[in-house]
Amino acid sequence: MFKALADEAERLELKQKAPLLLADVLLDQDIIKDGMAQIKNNRRVLLRFTLNDKKAQRYLLGGIEQLIIKHEAILLPKAAHIIKALYDNDICEEEAILAWGDKPSSKYVTKTQSKKIVQKCEAVLTWLREAEEEDDDEEESNDEVEVMLFFFYHLCSFRPTSTFQFDDRNQKTSVYAEKAKAQATAEDIKVQGDDGVEIDIDDI
């Protein structure tokens, strides 16, 4: 039944707006009873319209605003619990809820009423903001670790691919030096005495 309804709403290009009506049809002042049973029991239906669609989630939040104001005495004190239940059941995502809280609108109720609801939800909004900041910090930390591991891996795996080669000039110089050394050791080393006569050092 609801699948057919979702398909028809999509055909009429009304799928994003449908959650506004669903909030009025499926939920009432008893939404807060039995651990938010109405939200849990209608989770699959609501997800058909809101899954991965932040605009549809915003329409649903607008419907929730209307529901809360309609039964203000009962539901306004429990507004934060209702919003958290939508989050816990993956019906509304963190980004959609925070965007709703950051900018109260007069589209569904008066702006004063919207601000009043948001104020009642401040505790859960703060909790979501802090969770988002922690996720961002963790992602940055993970990025730094990945970079360090990348460089460490490549440093550890580095091996010289070739040996140092002397150029021809150095090689020739080395050859000449070796020849000179060999010639010096092969010849008898002779020195001149005081009278100018060469003396064989081996005869001393």
Side-chain angles (χ1 to χ4, degrees), residues 185-203:
T185 55
E187 295 179 352
D188 292 332
I189 301 176
K190 297 180 180 180
V191 296
Q192 289 184 344
D194 294 337
D195 56 1
V197 178
E198 289 185 351
I199 301 173
D200 191 337
I201 197 169
D202 291 334
D203 293 338

Side-chain angles (χ1 to χ4, degrees), residues 88-152:
D88 289 342
N89 286 276
D90 302 318
I91 297 168
C92 289
E93 298 174 26
E94 177 181 321
E95 290 181 18
I97 295 173
L98 289 176
W100 165 79
D102 289 340
K103 193 175 181 181
S105 170
S106 59
K107 188 173 182 179
Y108 310 102
V109 294
T110 68
K111 198 158 191 176
T112 300
Q113 291 170 333
S114 182
K115 287 181 178 179
K116 189 188 299 186
I117 295 170
V118 168
Q119 187 176 9
K120 286 291 184 180
C121 296
E122 192 56 43
V124 71
L125 292 171
T126 299
W127 174 71
L128 287 173
R129 290 189 194 102
E130 290 176 351
E132 185 179 45
E133 290 174 0
E134 288 178 4
D135 289 342
D136 291 341
D137 291 341
E138 186 175 347
E139 287 179 6
E140 290 178 3
S141 178
N142 288 339
D143 289 342
E144 291 177 0
V145 171
E146 287 178 3
V147 170
M148 291 176 66
L149 288 174
F150 173 81
F151 282 107
F152 180 75

Side-chain angles (χ1 to χ4, degrees), residues 38-97:
Q38 285 187 3
I39 291 178
K40 294 176 182 177
N41 294 339
N42 290 294
R43 178 177 181 272
R44 292 181 63 184
V45 178
L46 293 170
L47 280 174
R48 285 192 179 276
F49 295 87
T50 65
L51 185 63
N52 297 325
D53 191 331
K54 291 182 177 60
K55 285 187 177 180
Q57 293 169 27
R58 183 64 185 88
Y59 274 106
L60 178 60
L61 289 167
I64 294 296
E65 284 183 312
Q66 291 178 344
L67 179 66
I68 290 172
I69 294 304
K70 185 177 180 180
H71 306 285
E72 185 172 348
I74 299 171
L75 299 184
L76 184 59
K78 299 293 184 180
H81 296 80
I82 296 171
I83 297 302
K84 188 172 186 299
L86 293 174
Y87 173 77
D88 289 342
N89 286 276
D90 302 318
I91 297 168
C92 289
E93 298 174 26
E94 177 181 321
E95 290 181 18
I97 295 173

Side-chain angles (χ1 to χ4, degrees), residues 169-180:
R169 182 180 58 188
N170 287 338
Q171 288 180 350
K172 290 177 181 178
T173 302
S174 178
V175 170
Y176 294 148
E178 289 296 327
K179 285 184 177 180

Side-chain angles (χ1 to χ4, degrees), residues 23-47:
D24 184 54
V25 173
L26 301 176
L27 309 173
D28 58 28
Q29 63 184 13
D30 293 330
I31 187 175
I32 58 176
K33 291 184 177 180
D34 301 321
M36 303 289 172
Q38 285 187 3
I39 291 178
K40 294 176 182 177
N41 294 339
N42 290 294
R43 178 177 181 272
R44 292 181 63 184
V45 178
L46 293 170
L47 280 174

